[in-house]
Amino acid sequence: MPKMLDDETEPTTTVRPERPHRGGRRRAEASLPRVAWLIGPALVAGVAYLDPGNVASNMTAGAQYGYLLVWVVVLGNVMAWLIQYLSAKLGIVTGRSLPEVLGGRIRNRWGRRAYWLQAELVAMATDLAEVIGGAVALNLLFGVPLVWGGLITGAVSIVLLVLQSKRGPRTFEFVIMGLLAIITIGFTVGVFIAPPDPAGLLAGLVPRFADANSVLLAASILGATIMPHAIYAHSALSRDRFATRGEQAGGRRTTSDSPALLPGTATDVPTDVLVRATRWDVSIAMAIAGTVNLCILLLAAVNLAGVEGTDSLEGAYAALGAALGPVIATLFAVGLLASGLASTSVGAYAGAEIMHGLLHVRVPLLARRLVTLIPALVILWLGFDPTLSLVLSQVVLSFGIPFALIPLVSLTAKSGVLGRWRNHWATTAAGIAASVFLITLNGVLLWLVFTGA
């Protein structure tokens, strides 16, 4: 890990102070009825937990092992809640994203560039999975060739990113939340048509493995769930969403900035209210993501267990059509398409933020999007197996998890960074435990993959 400056010498991270308000408590309480307007960044970041990589991992786990790995999905969702909350809190309190904070703290120029390189590779691996997932969905729904499907997915993501830059974060949030609703419907309807066995579901909550391959799948599920780019993106989404008055007027953040403004009002929102609202935001987002991921696994456990050819998205689609009818299979493919479109937009947003925060440069949106789109299009053009490419992209993602998790937990525990909003010792302990567990399990994943076990 590149060497960082000490807290006392950290020049770029400024904790947003609370300005005293007349009738301060009453002012904070007055903003609570409008707390719904503070919901949104976590729902956008949460799309990363419903990308095509998650679909492939959960479908495979359910088809091969039934209810065995239900506990992995639940555990991953609990850890994801903590990690995304810490990321959002960092963006709210400091007014900077995690890449920006690290870009100011990493002392060595080459160390900063090396850190950027691994984060950029992670973002590109994420984009690979999401573009391929969108291409497969278009092929299943409309027979579009995979290469053209990848181009269409990339073009839609560019449109969504332009919308975010031109219309602001709130419009972008509404579009992504609309796609999130489609994803939820597409992946959960089948569970209501063919409900799971309650006894099997409860048994799946007991942590255990069946063999080495089940360990591999557990690591893949967690690797697809805890994604580094979602950590980088959430801090930036919170920063963009909760702009200060000066930033909304085109100004620059200073040590005397006021608290954020609610959309459409002139009411200041104290930071403690934003942090409280963020807990709700993250809770709602992770509840949706966890429920959908669990439904994907259960859908496969009930309908695909023991069925040949379900080790690919195309095979799963065909098997669902045979078991539950064409309507459910079509809804699944529509959910997969929405998953690819939404998650690739968030992934591209994260990639741009990584470059800006660590290298202090901004590349034109279209140019950067085309560069990150090329690897996915090349893989599709060469005819590589799309589902295998999705799985291998999760292996690449596992390399980036320590580089995002360790700095996040460390920074949010420092009073020099977050002031009185720093982590409680129990929160830090939970963050360390989650980090150790995820890093260890991803190490097992890499060992199993590279040894062929």
Side-chain angles (χ1 to χ4, degrees), residues 421-438:
W421 290 283
R422 70 185 184 278
N423 296 341
H424 186 275
W425 69 265
T427 304
T428 299
I432 292 173
S435 301
V436 171
F437 178 77
L438 287 168

Side-chain angles (χ1 to χ4, degrees), residues 373-384:
L373 196 58
I374 289 174
L377 295 179
V378 169
I379 286 176
L380 292 172
W381 180 68
L382 291 176
F384 285 112

Side-chain angles (χ1 to χ4, degrees), residues 68-121:
L68 179 72
L69 299 179
V70 165
W71 67 273
V72 179
V73 176
V74 175
L75 178 63
N77 203 61
V78 171
M79 291 189 291
W81 185 97
L82 174 63
I83 292 165
Q84 294 307 131
Y85 167 65
L86 295 182
S87 176
K89 184 171 70 168
L90 180 71
I92 289 170
V93 177
T94 66
R96 292 177 181 273
S97 66
L98 179 59
E100 284 179 315
V101 174
L102 293 174
R105 293 176 66 90
I106 298 177
R107 178 178 296 167
N108 184 278
R109 176 187 299 177
W110 290 104
R112 189 171 69 250
R113 290 175 178 174
Y115 187 95
W116 163 78
L117 181 60
Q118 64 80 27
E120 197 68 39
L121 288 174

